[in-house]
Structures are given as C-alpha cells and as structure tokens.
Amino acid sequence: MPTPALHSIHVHPVKALRGQAPQVAVVEPWGMAGDRRWALIDDAGKVVTQREQPRLALAAAELLPGGGIRVSASGLDPLDVAVPEGPGTRTAKWAGEKIETVPAGPEASAWFSTYLGEGVTLVHLDDPATRRPIDDPPYGRPGETVSLADGYPLLLTTLASLDALNFLIAQGDHPGEGPLPMNRFRPNVVVAGTASWAEDSWKRIAIGEVVFRVAKPCGRCVVTTTDQATAERGREPLRTLGRHRRFGDRLAFGQNLVPQTPGTLRIADPVTILE
C-alpha cells in the first residue's frame, strides 16, 4: 500500500458553483481560505443551492486578490464582484440556521437572477470567526466555526473509496450511470494511497503541517446525483449508497474535518493518521 498523500485540493468560492483546483491552499479555522464565503439567497432569505437549481453547477467562480470573485456562465459576460463593505446585512436561512451576511450589490444579484430566471441576491459572509458556530451536537465543539459550507469547515474524500463505490454502482440497477467522477461529491481535499473506506475509522489526521479532527461521516443529498458538466440528474450514487453505505438516517461518503491548527496544504503532502 503506498503512503497516503494529498491528491487534489478544491475551493468553491460561491456555495453551489463550480470552483477551482489550486496546488496550494491556506487552511483557516473555519475552512480553506476563500472557500464558500459567498452564497445566493432567494427573496425569503433561503440559501439557494444545486438542490433547487442544478444549473448552478454550470456557473463558475474564481477567487480574486482581496477576497473578491469573478463569476462566469454561458450566455453572460463574466462579472467581477468586490467584497461588499456594507452597510446593512441580510439574514441567510440554511437548514434551520439564521446567518448574518452582507449583500454584494445590485449588479451581482441581477447577473445571477438573469442566469437562473428568478430573483436571487448574492451575499458574503464577512466574519466567519463569529458569524456561524458549528451547530451539530454532539459533533461540533465550543468555539468551532464554519463558513457557508453545509456544516463543517472541510470535506475529505479518498480515491480508493470512490473506486469501491463505482464498483458497487457497476453491479447495481443503474450501471450505465457510472463510473462517477469525484466532482459529484464536491470535496475540499482528496486523498490517494489508502484502502477503500479507511477514512471511516480515522479520528485525527495531519495533512502536511495541518492537523484535523475527523468530526463525522458526510451525509449525501440529491446534489450528488447531478452531473456537474451537464446539470442533468440521475439516480446514482444515492441508490447504491442507500444499499451499502447507510449509517442511521445518513447515506455516507467522505468525512467532515475541523482544523485543529492553521497552515498551508500542498499537493502531494503526506497524510498521517494520528488516531
């Protein structure tokens, strides 16, 4: 078995949009620098994701110096959006939470509203150190915070577990939908050189210089059935996860991570299992 190592890094500046795959990324207490600091909300304040709008998979966001973003999508001119300075906040509602955010301004919201064909507002999480604690007892701990990610600062997956899942899909009811690429799961870090499902037993790991607590398995939703290249939906991997990877009420693939130390991740960093 080769030594586990960091295979790829993924940063999604806008929640639900296509992201970037840098060679290097800085890890902050609430996640990777620039990851999921922006999101779209509807007129009622509810966060809009690929669950409701699979076409968001076809729009892309690129980080700019200073924390701004450049968004692009077919049929629209790219738009640069600076970090908003206020005044005023908008409450973003997500899975029972209320998160204070700052609207990006009318031009950005008009761009996304045109793309989606419905009224939405682009918002920015200005202070992840205080705005959103991890609210998931007993897995979250006092003082831990998160960006606008679903629940935890980072998501880890492994190549070996994807290979194992694709093998199971090939034996199932919808083999034609496989093999699935890793982007269906929208991870932050992908690890090579492990046994399949080895991450299920990890409690604490180091990737290069950064130490992480492995909080809990990641429960998967309908977004994983969305082809990130076409925005079309199928049945996999949820059908296969339901048969082979059901943990209580969760269909699990990947592990949620909480940084224990700050630092920088680099492709090919060794991955050390500490517990």
Side-chain angles (χ1 to χ4, degrees):
M1 178 70 66
T3 301
L6 182 58
H7 173 76
S8 60
I9 299 169
H10 305 273
V11 177
H12 302 88
V14 180
K15 186 179 180 70
L17 268 64
R18 185 180 305 163
Q20 302 171 263
Q23 297 293 300
V24 178
V26 173
V27 176
E28 299 169 328
W30 43 83
M32 289 200 291
D35 186 63
R36 295 173 172 93
R37 291 288 296 276
W38 303 76
L40 297 168
I41 60 174
D42 63 17
D43 290 343
K46 183 179 181 296
V47 173
V48 178
T49 73
Q50 288 185 36
R51 295 168 177 83
E52 304 82 22
Q53 286 279 6
R55 288 189 69 236
L56 288 174
L58 308 183
E62 173 189 352
L63 282 172
L64 299 176
I69 53 173
R70 176 171 294 141
V71 293
S72 58
S74 177
L76 293 174
D77 291 333
L79 179 68
D80 289 1
V81 184
V83 173
E85 297 180 358
T89 61
R90 283 287 304 274
T91 300
K93 302 173 184 176
W94 171 250
E97 296 181 67
K98 293 183 178 180
I99 309 160
E100 291 303 306
T101 60
V102 182
E107 187 178 12
S109 297
W111 191 94
F112 279 104
S113 297
T114 298
Y115 178 66
L116 293 178
E118 69 171 67
V120 292
T121 299
L122 180 66
V123 296
H124 180 256
L125 185 67
D126 60 336
D127 186 8
T130 63
R131 291 292 192 193
R132 189 184 178 208
I134 296 176
D135 184 18
D136 188 19
Y139 303 102
R141 295 179 179 175
E144 294 178 341
T145 62
V146 62
S147 65
L148 294 171
D150 278 5
Y152 286 87
L154 282 88
L155 172 63
L156 173 148
T157 58
T158 69
L159 294 180
S161 294
L162 179 63
D163 288 344
L165 178 62
N166 278 324
F167 175 81
L168 294 172
I169 290 173
Q171 314 305 312
D173 297 337
H174 305 281
E177 291 191 23
L180 301 182
M182 190 65 85
N183 66 8
R184 289 290 187 96
F185 302 95
R186 299 178 61 82
N188 293 115
V189 290
V190 179
V191 174
T194 72
S196 56
W197 315 121
E199 64 273 21
D200 288 349
S201 64
W202 299 347
K203 295 181 180 178
R204 199 165 63 95
I205 65 170
I207 304 178
E209 65 185 28
V210 188
V211 176
F212 298 92
R213 179 171 67 85
V214 183
K216 63 183 288 191
C218 182
R220 310 314 309 219
C221 70
V222 70
V223 171
T224 60
T225 70
T226 306
D227 188 321
Q228 297 294 296
T230 66
E232 296 177 355
R233 283 195 171 140
R235 299 194 179 200
E236 295 292 1
L238 292 186
R239 178 64 67 91
T240 297
L241 291 175
R243 289 178 174 175
H244 299 279
R245 295 285 298 169
R246 184 181 292 276
F247 295 83
D249 60 353
R250 294 193 305 271
L251 310 183
F253 186 86
Q255 295 287 332
N256 290 298
L257 303 182
V258 180
Q260 302 295 281
T261 61
T264 300
L265 300 180
R266 298 172 178 84
I267 298 298
D269 274 349
V271 176
T272 305
I273 314 308
L274 302 175
E275 293 183 36

mmCIF file of all heavy atoms in Angstrom, residues 9-32:
data_model
loop_
_atom_site.group_PDB
_atom_site.id
_atom_site.type_symbol
_atom_site.label_atom_id
_atom_site.label_comp_id
_atom_site.label_asym_id
_atom_site.label_seq_id
_atom_site.Cartn_x
_atom_site.Cartn_y
_atom_site.Cartn_z
ATOM 1 N N ILE A 9 -6.819 19.455 -4.299
ATOM 2 C CA ILE A 9 -7.421 20.471 -3.439
ATOM 3 C C ILE A 9 -8.526 21.150 -4.235
ATOM 4 O O ILE A 9 -8.354 21.427 -5.425
ATOM 5 C CB ILE A 9 -6.374 21.523 -3.015
ATOM 6 C CG1 ILE A 9 -5.235 20.874 -2.223
ATOM 7 C CG2 ILE A 9 -7.012 22.656 -2.222
ATOM 8 C CD1 ILE A 9 -4.046 21.806 -2.003
ATOM 9 N N HIS A 10 -9.650 21.447 -3.564
ATOM 10 C CA HIS A 10 -10.779 22.078 -4.252
ATOM 11 C C HIS A 10 -11.364 23.187 -3.397
ATOM 12 O O HIS A 10 -11.696 22.975 -2.224
ATOM 13 C CB HIS A 10 -11.843 21.034 -4.575
ATOM 14 C CG HIS A 10 -11.301 19.881 -5.366
ATOM 15 N ND1 HIS A 10 -11.232 19.898 -6.739
ATOM 16 C CD2 HIS A 10 -10.742 18.705 -4.962
ATOM 17 C CE1 HIS A 10 -10.672 18.769 -7.162
ATOM 18 N NE2 HIS A 10 -10.364 18.032 -6.103
ATOM 19 N N VAL A 11 -11.465 24.364 -3.986
ATOM 20 C CA VAL A 11 -12.015 25.535 -3.317
ATOM 21 C C VAL A 11 -13.216 26.020 -4.123
ATOM 22 O O VAL A 11 -13.123 26.203 -5.339
ATOM 23 C CB VAL A 11 -10.966 26.659 -3.203
ATOM 24 C CG1 VAL A 11 -11.573 27.899 -2.565
ATOM 25 C CG2 VAL A 11 -9.762 26.189 -2.397
ATOM 26 N N HIS A 12 -14.351 26.207 -3.436
ATOM 27 C CA HIS A 12 -15.580 26.679 -4.073
ATOM 28 C C HIS A 12 -15.919 28.049 -3.482
ATOM 29 O O HIS A 12 -16.550 28.129 -2.429
ATOM 30 C CB HIS A 12 -16.725 25.698 -3.832
ATOM 31 C CG HIS A 12 -16.433 24.315 -4.325
ATOM 32 N ND1 HIS A 12 -15.799 23.365 -3.547
ATOM 33 C CD2 HIS A 12 -16.682 23.716 -5.517
ATOM 34 C CE1 HIS A 12 -15.682 22.245 -4.247
ATOM 35 N NE2 HIS A 12 -16.199 22.434 -5.440
ATOM 36 N N PRO A 13 -15.509 29.132 -4.131
ATOM 37 C CA PRO A 13 -15.739 30.459 -3.547
ATOM 38 C C PRO A 13 -17.211 30.778 -3.304
ATOM 39 O O PRO A 13 -17.549 31.401 -2.302
ATOM 40 C CB PRO A 13 -15.123 31.411 -4.585
ATOM 41 C CG PRO A 13 -14.096 30.572 -5.295
ATOM 42 C CD PRO A 13 -14.695 29.205 -5.354
ATOM 43 N N VAL A 14 -18.085 30.358 -4.229
ATOM 44 C CA VAL A 14 -19.526 30.574 -4.070
ATOM 45 C C VAL A 14 -20.181 29.225 -3.831
ATOM 46 O O VAL A 14 -20.005 28.290 -4.631
ATOM 47 C CB VAL A 14 -20.151 31.248 -5.302
ATOM 48 C CG1 VAL A 14 -21.653 31.464 -5.095
ATOM 49 C CG2 VAL A 14 -19.463 32.580 -5.596
ATOM 50 N N LYS A 15 -20.920 29.112 -2.755
ATOM 51 C CA LYS A 15 -21.620 27.864 -2.451
ATOM 52 C C LYS A 15 -22.460 27.438 -3.651
ATOM 53 O O LYS A 15 -23.228 28.235 -4.197
ATOM 54 C CB LYS A 15 -22.514 28.066 -1.230
ATOM 55 C CG LYS A 15 -23.203 26.806 -0.720
ATOM 56 C CD LYS A 15 -24.030 27.149 0.514
ATOM 57 C CE LYS A 15 -24.741 25.941 1.085
ATOM 58 N NZ LYS A 15 -23.790 25.006 1.708
ATOM 59 N N ALA A 16 -22.298 26.194 -4.095
ATOM 60 C CA ALA A 16 -23.069 25.553 -5.162
ATOM 61 C C ALA A 16 -22.508 25.790 -6.551
ATOM 62 O O ALA A 16 -22.916 25.114 -7.495
ATOM 63 C CB ALA A 16 -24.541 25.957 -5.138
ATOM 64 N N LEU A 17 -21.563 26.729 -6.738
ATOM 65 C CA LEU A 17 -20.973 26.949 -8.041
ATOM 66 C C LEU A 17 -19.734 26.085 -8.237
ATOM 67 O O LEU A 17 -19.150 25.578 -7.286
ATOM 68 C CB LEU A 17 -20.593 28.422 -8.232
ATOM 69 C CG LEU A 17 -21.648 29.321 -8.884
ATOM 70 C CD1 LEU A 17 -22.883 29.419 -8.013
ATOM 71 C CD2 LEU A 17 -21.060 30.695 -9.183
ATOM 72 N N ARG A 18 -19.335 25.946 -9.502
ATOM 73 C CA ARG A 18 -18.084 25.277 -9.811
ATOM 74 C C ARG A 18 -16.933 26.075 -9.195
ATOM 75 O O ARG A 18 -16.957 27.299 -9.173
ATOM 76 C CB ARG A 18 -17.909 25.187 -11.326
ATOM 77 C CG ARG A 18 -16.698 24.391 -11.786
ATOM 78 C CD ARG A 18 -16.634 24.384 -13.301
ATOM 79 N NE ARG A 18 -17.870 23.882 -13.877
ATOM 80 C CZ ARG A 18 -18.217 24.066 -15.149
ATOM 81 N NH1 ARG A 18 -17.456 24.769 -15.953
ATOM 82 N NH2 ARG A 18 -19.347 23.551 -15.596
ATOM 83 N N GLY A 19 -15.922 25.362 -8.713
ATOM 84 C CA GLY A 19 -14.821 26.028 -8.043
ATOM 85 C C GLY A 19 -13.507 25.901 -8.769
ATOM 86 O O GLY A 19 -13.450 25.788 -9.994
ATOM 87 N N GLN A 20 -12.428 25.890 -7.996
ATOM 88 C CA GLN A 20 -11.074 25.848 -8.518
ATOM 89 C C GLN A 20 -10.321 24.692 -7.885
ATOM 90 O O GLN A 20 -10.716 24.189 -6.831
ATOM 91 C CB GLN A 20 -10.338 27.154 -8.189
ATOM 92 C CG GLN A 20 -11.011 28.402 -8.711
ATOM 93 C CD GLN A 20 -10.334 29.660 -8.154
ATOM 94 O OE1 GLN A 20 -10.782 30.233 -7.183
ATOM 95 N NE2 GLN A 20 -9.236 30.069 -8.773
ATOM 96 N N ALA A 21 -9.223 24.292 -8.525
ATOM 97 C CA ALA A 21 -8.387 23.210 -8.003
ATOM 98 C C ALA A 21 -6.948 23.707 -7.906
ATOM 99 O O ALA A 21 -6.102 23.388 -8.743
ATOM 100 C CB ALA A 21 -8.482 21.985 -8.897
ATOM 101 N N PRO A 22 -6.633 24.492 -6.872
ATOM 102 C CA PRO A 22 -5.283 25.047 -6.736
ATOM 103 C C PRO A 22 -4.275 23.995 -6.296
ATOM 104 O O PRO A 22 -4.632 22.925 -5.797
ATOM 105 C CB PRO A 22 -5.467 26.122 -5.670
ATOM 106 C CG PRO A 22 -6.580 25.603 -4.822
ATOM 107 C CD PRO A 22 -7.517 24.920 -5.773
ATOM 108 N N GLN A 23 -3.012 24.320 -6.456
ATOM 109 C CA GLN A 23 -1.936 23.453 -5.983
ATOM 110 C C GLN A 23 -1.641 23.668 -4.504
ATOM 111 O O GLN A 23 -1.103 22.778 -3.835
ATOM 112 C CB GLN A 23 -0.670 23.713 -6.799
ATOM 113 C CG GLN A 23 -0.795 23.381 -8.270
ATOM 114 C CD GLN A 23 -0.969 21.899 -8.519
ATOM 115 O OE1 GLN A 23 -0.106 21.096 -8.158
ATOM 116 N NE2 GLN A 23 -2.075 21.526 -9.127
ATOM 117 N N VAL A 24 -2.017 24.852 -4.010
ATOM 118 C CA VAL A 24 -1.726 25.237 -2.629
ATOM 119 C C VAL A 24 -2.948 25.933 -2.063
ATOM 120 O O VAL A 24 -3.635 26.672 -2.777
ATOM 121 C CB VAL A 24 -0.504 26.189 -2.563
ATOM 122 C CG1 VAL A 24 -0.240 26.631 -1.131
ATOM 123 C CG2 VAL A 24 0.734 25.523 -3.152
ATOM 124 N N ALA A 25 -3.255 25.708 -0.787
ATOM 125 C CA ALA A 25 -4.380 26.384 -0.142
ATOM 126 C C ALA A 25 -4.071 26.603 1.332
ATOM 127 O O ALA A 25 -3.516 25.726 1.999
ATOM 128 C CB ALA A 25 -5.669 25.573 -0.287
ATOM 129 N N VAL A 26 -4.458 27.770 1.828
ATOM 130 C CA VAL A 26 -4.299 28.099 3.233
ATOM 131 C C VAL A 26 -5.524 27.612 4.002
ATOM 132 O O VAL A 26 -6.664 27.812 3.563
ATOM 133 C CB VAL A 26 -4.122 29.612 3.422
ATOM 134 C CG1 VAL A 26 -4.126 29.989 4.910
ATOM 135 C CG2 VAL A 26 -2.828 30.082 2.759
ATOM 136 N N VAL A 27 -5.283 26.975 5.131
ATOM 137 C CA VAL A 27 -6.371 26.486 5.977
ATOM 138 C C VAL A 27 -6.569 27.456 7.135
ATOM 139 O O VAL A 27 -5.632 27.744 7.883
ATOM 140 C CB VAL A 27 -6.083 25.069 6.506
ATOM 141 C CG1 VAL A 27 -7.186 24.618 7.462
ATOM 142 C CG2 VAL A 27 -5.955 24.088 5.352
ATOM 143 N N GLU A 28 -7.786 27.947 7.283
ATOM 144 C CA GLU A 28 -8.182 28.810 8.383
ATOM 145 C C GLU A 28 -9.073 28.015 9.335
ATOM 146 O O GLU A 28 -9.529 26.921 8.975
ATOM 147 C CB GLU A 28 -8.900 30.043 7.831
ATOM 148 C CG GLU A 28 -8.013 30.865 6.898
ATOM 149 C CD GLU A 28 -8.768 31.936 6.134
ATOM 150 O OE1 GLU A 28 -9.955 31.734 5.818
ATOM 151 O OE2 GLU A 28 -8.136 32.969 5.838
ATOM 152 N N PRO A 29 -9.363 28.509 10.534
ATOM 153 C CA PRO A 29 -10.158 27.721 11.484
ATOM 154 C C PRO A 29 -11.522 27.308 10.945
ATOM 155 O O PRO A 29 -12.052 26.258 11.334
ATOM 156 C CB PRO A 29 -10.295 28.659 12.684
ATOM 157 C CG PRO A 29 -9.082 29.518 12.616
ATOM 158 C CD PRO A 29 -8.840 29.742 11.152
ATOM 159 N N TRP A 30 -12.129 28.100 10.066
ATOM 160 C CA TRP A 30 -13.477 27.843 9.551
ATOM 161 C C TRP A 30 -13.472 27.202 8.164
ATOM 162 O O TRP A 30 -14.514 27.015 7.575
ATOM 163 C CB TRP A 30 -14.251 29.158 9.490
ATOM 164 C CG TRP A 30 -13.395 30.268 8.939
ATOM 165 C CD1 TRP A 30 -13.145 30.569 7.632
ATOM 166 C CD2 TRP A 30 -12.630 31.184 9.710
ATOM 167 N NE1 TRP A 30 -12.269 31.610 7.532
ATOM 168 C CE2 TRP A 30 -11.934 32.021 8.797
ATOM 169 C CE3 TRP A 30 -12.450 31.384 11.084
ATOM 170 C CZ2 TRP A 30 -11.079 33.046 9.225
ATOM 171 C CZ3 TRP A 30 -11.600 32.396 11.492
ATOM 172 C CH2 TRP A 30 -10.932 33.223 10.571
ATOM 173 N N GLY A 31 -12.285 26.867 7.638
ATOM 174 C CA GLY A 31 -12.211 26.229 6.333
ATOM 175 C C GLY A 31 -11.048 26.759 5.524
ATOM 176 O O GLY A 31 -10.236 27.547 6.010
ATOM 177 N N MET A 32 -10.951 26.355 4.265
ATOM 178 C CA MET A 32 -9.878 26.852 3.418
ATOM 179 C C MET A 32 -10.149 28.293 3.016
ATOM 180 O O MET A 32 -11.303 28.691 2.797
ATOM 181 C CB MET A 32 -9.717 25.961 2.192
ATOM 182 C CG MET A 32 -9.135 24.609 2.558
ATOM 183 S SD MET A 32 -8.382 23.731 1.185
ATOM 184 C CE MET A 32 -9.820 23.334 0.230
#
